[in-house]
Structures are given as structure tokens and as C-alpha cells.
Amino acid sequence: MRIDSLPYNNAQTQGPARRRWLQEHAPQHLEQCAALMLEALARRPLALSPGIAVLGAGACTEIPLEKLARAADEVVLVDLDRAALLQARAELPAVSLRTRVQLLTADLTGGVSLLLQERLRLLPWSTLEQEEASAFWDRLAAVLDACPVPDPPQVEDLPRATFGLAISSLVLSQLFSYPLLDLLDAVQQRAARHLGAQERHRRYQEAAQRFRLRIIAAHLHLLRDLVEPGGLVVLLSDVRGFLFQEGELSKGGPTRQALPLVPHAFFDLVRQTFTVLAERRWEWLSDLPTAERPGRGYEVVGYLAAVPAL
């Protein structure tokens, strides 16, 4: 499963070296991420718990962990990559701060990749491979629709209605993209002649979109359930990717290729779940172009929101 490669990928894209790269090439990204989290700290009502949960924390490349730890009695970092979490905590300059930071290794989807993998394993692939593309992708659309998505996910040892602030840090699009890539990997291995036809298959595309929205809704519900009534949430998510050639960074440049990452309904779901107090949008670069490949970047939306009081 793609999720199993997460620690390896994180080692290439997170941590102090990556932060230094971003400070040089995309400083506004680090500034915007930190500013929204620090605004949440400033606006958090004093009556709320000083505890903070950070979902998708990784190595805290974009997270001002030291400032969060100084403002909390406990910061719980949650990610599937244990090594990255340990690295993040080890960067803190004082033992007193490190003792406030708890680490929780968990799949934030509640195991969706494994649930989908089990259903893909049961398919009669040799028979399906012989079918027409339309029937083949109809069957996989049905698999996606039937795959359970825990809502909200049950994350062991992560208490509900406990925190004054919960943060989701640039993890949302990974939660649904990994299992969908697992499905395409299975097709590549067992029925490669059908790969590519899914782009023209309406029923499969609609099922994939429903799958994305179910995972998004479950993640928003998890954030909502973690905080006390009246508590605050910071949600950062890549919403669109783009490719660009050297010298063509201007928005809407002639060769810029955009790729939507989240369904448009995501924006409505956020406002249905939370009371939005602030919304920010910006872009950041993840890779510079070379002679062999284009550069990559992302458009981000950041929300500061409140969970309605009971």
C-alpha cells in the first residue's frame, strides 16, 4: 500500500533541511502556516483547555512547534510516521518543552487503505481483465462505493472533546489520494490494459469523487470531535497542484498545468461543519524545474474556525 511508503517519502520532504529550502524558495508558505496557527492561539478563549492536537504533524516542517508547546500544557502530535514525530520533538530546545509533547502513531483515516485493499484482493482479476473497459471500471466504481470509511475515524488514545485547539496540517489530500493510488497500482499489476480508461469513465470518476468527499467529511468530523464546544480548529490543505517551467511562475502562465486536488464541495463541507473565522489562500513551491522535469507547486487554503458551542 502507498501508505506504507510514507516514512520514506517524509524523509525526503520534511525536517530541518526541507524547512531551510522553504525559507529560501517559499518563505511565504512557512509564514502563512505559522501565522494562522499563532492567530488561533491568540483567539483561543481562556476558558478552553490549553491542550493542542496536531494531525498530520510529521516532522513539523511548517508547524511552529516551540511556540505551540510554550502555549499549551500538552501538545499531541499525530502521524503515521513515528520517526518524523520523534525528529520534531527532538528539535525543541528544552527538556521542559519536550515533556509537553506527546507522540501518537496512527492512521488518521481509521484504516481506509487496508479496508480497500481487502476488497480489491477479493476481486476475480483474471475474469475482470478480459472484460470490456466499461464493465471493468463499473466494477471498480462499485468497490469504491462499497468501501467503508469510518466517520469519524476511531483513533486509539486520541481523546475526544478534550482540546482547545486542533490543527490539521497539509494532510487532507493524502488521506484519500493514497488509497486511490493503491487501486490504480492494483490495476497496473493485474489488468494493465485497462489503465487509463478510467479517465473517460464517468461512473468511476463519480465514485472516486464520492470516495474523496467521504474521507474529507470524516476528517472534518474528527477535528470537530477532538475539541471542546467552542474550541478552535486550524485546517491547512493543498487544494490544487500545478506544474511550471523555469521563468513561468506567474499565476495563469501560458504553460502552467493545474491539477485539482480536492472536490469543490470541500469548501461547502468546511462551512457546514465549522464557523469560519478566517480564511487565507496562498501558493508554495515544492520543487524547482530542471532540464528534465517541470517544477511543482500547490495552492493552499487555510482556515481558522470554531466548533459551535452546544
Side-chain angles (χ1 to χ4, degrees), residues 31-185:
E31 293 162 5
Q32 292 276 16
C33 291
L36 207 54
M37 296 179 201
L38 297 180
E39 182 179 348
L41 288 180
R43 297 179 66 164
R44 181 180 56 182
L46 293 176
L48 290 178
S49 163
I52 301 172
V54 185
L55 309 186
C60 291
T61 306
E62 291 101 344
I63 297 165
L65 181 57
E66 181 178 347
K67 292 180 178 178
L68 294 184
R70 292 187 185 279
D73 60 353
E74 180 182 57
V75 180
V76 180
L77 304 180
V78 189
D79 200 281
L80 196 61
D81 185 353
R82 181 79 177 178
L85 295 177
L86 288 166
Q87 180 183 32
R89 185 168 63 182
E91 283 192 70
L92 290 170
V95 173
S96 60
L97 294 176
R98 293 194 289 272
T99 58
R100 297 182 192 180
V101 176
Q102 306 303 314
L103 310 181
L104 179 57
T105 307
D107 178 352
L108 290 169
T109 67
V112 168
S113 289
L114 183 58
L115 292 168
L116 180 59
Q117 195 78 8
E118 290 172 348
R119 282 151 182 79
L120 292 173
R121 193 179 298 117
L122 295 174
L123 289 177
W125 285 99
S126 58
T127 301
L128 288 174
E129 199 273 341
Q130 301 303 316
E131 292 185 349
E132 294 297 321
S134 179
F136 177 84
W137 288 106
D138 276 347
R139 183 68 175 270
L140 289 179
V143 169
L144 281 180
D145 280 335
C147 181
V149 174
D151 186 1
Q154 297 302 307
V155 181
E156 190 175 356
D157 297 326
L158 189 61
R160 305 301 167 98
T162 298
F163 302 94
L165 171 62
I167 298 169
S168 175
S169 179
L170 298 168
V171 70
L172 182 60
S173 61
Q174 294 180 22
L175 300 180
F176 56 74
S177 63
Y178 283 167
L180 287 172
L181 288 170
D182 286 341
L183 184 148
L184 296 181
D185 288 345

Side-chain angles (χ1 to χ4, degrees), residues 197-268:
Q198 76 277 9
E199 301 295 340
R200 303 180 299 276
H201 192 276
R202 181 175 177 179
R203 184 181 173 194
Y204 175 80
Q205 292 300 324
E206 290 174 346
Q209 199 76 318
R210 287 190 294 270
F211 183 77
R212 294 183 184 98
L213 285 171
R214 285 196 290 149
I215 290 179
I216 289 170
H219 188 66
L220 297 183
H221 296 159
L222 174 60
L223 283 169
R224 178 197 62 196
D225 290 357
L226 290 178
V227 301
E228 299 173 318
L232 299 183
V233 164
V234 171
L235 171 62
L236 307 177
S237 179
D238 296 322
V239 295
R240 188 176 289 104
F242 58 88
L243 302 177
F244 63 95
Q245 302 296 331
E246 190 170 1
E248 296 171 343
L249 292 179
S250 60
K251 190 171 184 180
T255 63
R256 175 163 158 159
Q257 303 173 44
L259 174 65
L261 297 178
V262 299
H264 187 73
F266 159 73
F267 304 100
D268 293 330

Side-chain angles (χ1 to χ4, degrees), residues 11-23 61 87 91:
Q12 317 305 311
T13 61
Q14 293 190 11
R18 182 61 170 176
R19 191 180 303 113
R20 289 191 293 271
W21 189 94
L22 290 170
Q23 287 168 345
T61 306
Q87 180 183 32
E91 283 192 70

